[in-house]
Amino acid sequence: MDLDMNVNAPHSMGTTIIGVTYNGGVVLGADSRTSTGMYVANRASDKITQLTDNVYVCRSGSAADSQIVSDYVRYFLHQHTIQLGQPATVKVAANLIRLLSYNNKNMLQTGLIVGGWDKYEGGKIYGIPLGGTLVEQPFAIGGSGSSYLYGFFDQAWKEGMTKEEAEQLVVKAVSLAIARDGASGGVVRTVIINSDGVTRNFYPGDKLQLWHDELEPQNSLLDILNAPSPEPMNI
Amino acid sequence: MPAACLLTGSYGSTLRYKSVERMKPIGKHSLLGASGEISDFQEILKYLDELILYDNMWDDGNSLGPKEVHNYLTRVMYNRRNKFNPLWNSLVLGGVKKGEKYLGTVSMIGVNFEDNHVATGFGNHLARPILRQEWHENLSFEDGVKILEKCMRVLLYRDRSAVNKLQIAKITEEGVTISQPYSLKTYWEFSAFENPTQGAVGSW
């Protein structure tokens, strides 16, 4: 029952991952919780991993599987870049991920979202869920927390957003998923990729907006109990 | 004597209900806190209502103290376990009667004991070690609250089913008061958290 902690359970990233295209590039977002059973093994993980200078991948599912797949693809892309003589395209990166995911579908348990910018197609997002399907999308959501975001994105997503709008959307969405998914939590990390380069951002858990039924954080109950009484009303 | 609990009601991995009060005063002298199945906790509260009612009906000036309530709960939990139909809860029962403090716990299979500090679920792994270091006889209420908040904060960081909303209850000879729900501040601004994979691209 509750005394059974299962510390040897494989590290899973539960997770909420998001990739969104905007007018000029992409924004990738993720939470930072890695769990072993019900224990939070890492509360500040980095699930947005670099594949090349211009292509990143959001990892979800098994931590080990997603890391090994992204390590292999980073290796292949490095060689591909040398041979090609110019930066790899997002499409190639996504297809390499797909090859590994599809051909090892019986063994792997990882859902990935590849996002990046290249000079031929601009900002692109590719979703590669469990079986190794490759699907190019204007935005993609994944991980256990994504269940809570389908309705939200149906309503809030718009074509042709600005960089600021897109990042705000991603941060809001991850934050909403964290509020309801036990397997997601911690901080919100975002990576913005466009022709100018890559920007990493960090939004700590206590700085996110409060949602329904959430309260303003306090230092201690003692502060609340010792707070001065409200002023009497004057009519 | 302070006790604390998070106001969370999960449904699998979904954090479904965020205002569930899992601590209730029992009679004049005790407080019951529960983890696990909320419906079973509500059923236990009904049993205790009846127990207290019959106790009051004697009208003899005596009232059930925490030790007696704990014993009753132990019997209930153990008997259900024997019928292979447990009440799926871990219970914490605390109280003060005639100046004597009491703190006990019962699990869903009827394991019961008293101690100076008890916890349910992850609290056993994360909070009790802190309490073993920091608890001492003659803690003031303020110090007790500070230690409990320290424990709750760790649980917020490390327990997947935790939600940032808690209540603290104070039990004294005068009676039981349960605080309003409130949230704790959490700390995320370690420099190591900002760019953890700088030195090892692809790690977590």
Side-chain angles (χ1 to χ4, degrees):
Chain A
M1 48 292 14
D2 38 35
L3 294 184
D4 181 9
M5 207 159 98
N6 206 12
V7 269
N8 295 316
H11 282 26
S12 140
M13 289 179 309
T15 307
T16 306
I17 48 172
I18 302 179
V20 150
T21 56
Y22 73 90
N23 192 16
V26 299
V27 180
L28 299 176
D31 74 305
S32 71
R33 178 172 283 189
T34 303
S35 33
T36 321
M38 287 298 270
Y39 176 66
V40 177
N42 187 349
R43 65 178 171 108
S45 2
D46 183 6
K47 303 181 187 180
I48 311 178
T49 301
Q50 186 182 27
L51 294 178
T52 68
D53 289 341
N54 54 313
V55 182
Y56 279 65
V57 61
C58 294
R59 302 179 290 114
S60 78
S62 157
D65 288 351
S66 64
Q67 279 180 9
I68 202 72
V69 166
S70 59
D71 283 350
Y72 268 116
V73 171
R74 189 179 313 113
Y75 168 66
F76 294 142
L77 278 173
H78 185 216
Q79 300 191 318
H80 171 69
T81 304
I82 291 169
Q83 190 173 51
L84 198 64
Q86 59 183 35
T89 58
V90 189
K91 184 183 279 191
V92 165
N95 275 103
L96 286 170
I97 298 258
R98 178 196 68 88
L99 273 177
L100 284 173
S101 287
Y102 178 73
N103 289 323
N104 295 294
K105 63 162 72 190
N106 295 322
M107 289 184 287
L108 293 173
Q109 204 180 71
T110 172
L112 302 153
I113 297 179
V114 177
W117 184 95
D118 61 55
K119 67 185 187 192
Y120 298 103
E121 305 217 64
K124 283 287 180 204
I125 293 283
Y126 293 88
I128 303 147
L130 243 42
T133 312
L134 177 78
V135 56
E136 201 251 293
Q137 300 172 294
F139 71 90
I141 56 178
S144 57
S146 66
S147 310
Y148 307 94
L149 298 176
Y150 283 94
F152 174 70
F153 271 90
D154 282 348
Q155 192 248 18
W157 157 262
K158 287 185 307 297
E159 193 73 51
M161 287 187 286
T162 67
K163 181 175 74 160
E164 287 71 28
E165 285 177 330
E167 202 197 8
Q168 283 315 306
L169 182 68
V170 167
V171 172
K172 190 173 182 181
V174 178
S175 169
L176 281 167
I178 287 175
R180 286 296 184 178
D181 181 25
S184 301
V187 306
V188 179
R189 298 195 193 275
T190 61
V191 171
I192 309 174
I193 313 170
N194 51 36
S195 55
D196 299 326
V198 175
T199 316
R200 262 192 178 280
N201 286 321
F202 168 81
Y203 297 89
D206 53 335
K207 298 285 186 300
L208 300 169
Q209 186 181 347
L210 287 175
W211 302 115
H212 172 62
D213 232 2
E214 294 185 339
L215 299 171
E216 197 66 55
Q218 310 283 345
N219 280 315
S220 166
L221 177 70
L222 301 171
D223 291 347
I224 303 173
L225 293 174
N226 294 330
S229 314
E231 290 288 310
M233 279 191 340
N234 283 319
I235 303 177
Chain B
M1 165 202 312
C5 88
L6 298 176
L7 280 84
T8 158
S10 301
Y11 186 69
S13 65
T14 306
L15 306 171
R16 193 164 186 188
Y17 303 109
K18 302 206 217 174
S19 293
V20 181
E21 297 203 2
R22 298 188 288 113
M23 288 198 299
K24 293 289 177 188
I26 309 293
K28 285 201 280 276
H29 306 283
S30 321
L31 173 89
L32 175 67
S35 79
E37 175 63 42
I38 309 283
S39 63
D40 285 348
F41 175 54
Q42 291 177 342
E43 192 69 4
I44 290 171
L45 290 175
K46 278 191 193 284
Y47 287 149
L48 289 173
D49 274 345
E50 198 177 4
L51 182 76
I52 301 292
L53 180 70
Y54 276 89
D55 184 45
N56 290 338
M57 275 162 56
W58 284 107
D59 200 20
D60 57 1
N62 195 12
S63 53
L64 288 172
K67 205 178 172 86
E68 290 92 70
V69 177
H70 182 231
N71 182 254
Y72 172 78
L73 288 171
T74 302
R75 292 299 103 220
V76 169
M77 301 302 271
Y78 184 60
N79 273 279
R80 288 288 297 256
R81 167 261 191 196
N82 287 341
K83 294 192 284 191
F84 286 94
N85 182 205
L87 289 161
W88 208 279
N89 297 110
S90 280
L91 304 173
V92 167
L93 197 294
V96 183
K97 186 178 171 187
K98 297 218 179 72
E100 284 206 22
K101 296 180 285 200
Y102 185 87
L103 184 62
T105 179
V106 197
S107 77
M108 67 188 257
I109 54 171
V111 173
N112 71 97
F113 54 90
E114 315 164 36
D115 208 334
N116 294 317
H117 45 81
V118 295
T120 63
F122 261 68
N124 280 303
H125 298 96
L126 300 174
R128 302 255 349 252
I130 299 176
L131 292 166
R132 271 180 217 121
Q133 292 272 39
E134 312 222 353
W135 185 90
H136 58 84
E137 200 71 57
N138 304 319
L139 268 176
S140 68
F141 176 67
E142 283 70 26
D143 286 339
V145 169
K146 286 204 191 97
I147 297 174
L148 277 179
E149 287 182 338
K150 188 174 180 181
C151 295
M152 295 314 250
R153 195 171 281 112
V154 173
L155 290 167
L156 274 178
Y157 288 144
R158 296 293 176 177
D159 182 359
R160 256 173 58 160
S161 55
V163 143
N164 194 354
K165 206 193 272 188
L166 66 146
Q167 287 177 306
I168 298 206
K170 177 180 184 178
I171 311 136
T172 58
E173 188 68 50
E174 287 80 57
V176 176
T177 37
I178 306 181
S179 76
Q180 49 162 308
Y182 71 103
S183 274
L184 278 175
K185 283 198 178 141
T186 51
Y187 188 69
W188 300 90
E189 259 115 322
F190 292 108
S191 59
F193 282 7
E194 298 205 25
N195 251 320
T197 57
Q198 204 153 33
V201 177
S203 78
W204 70 355

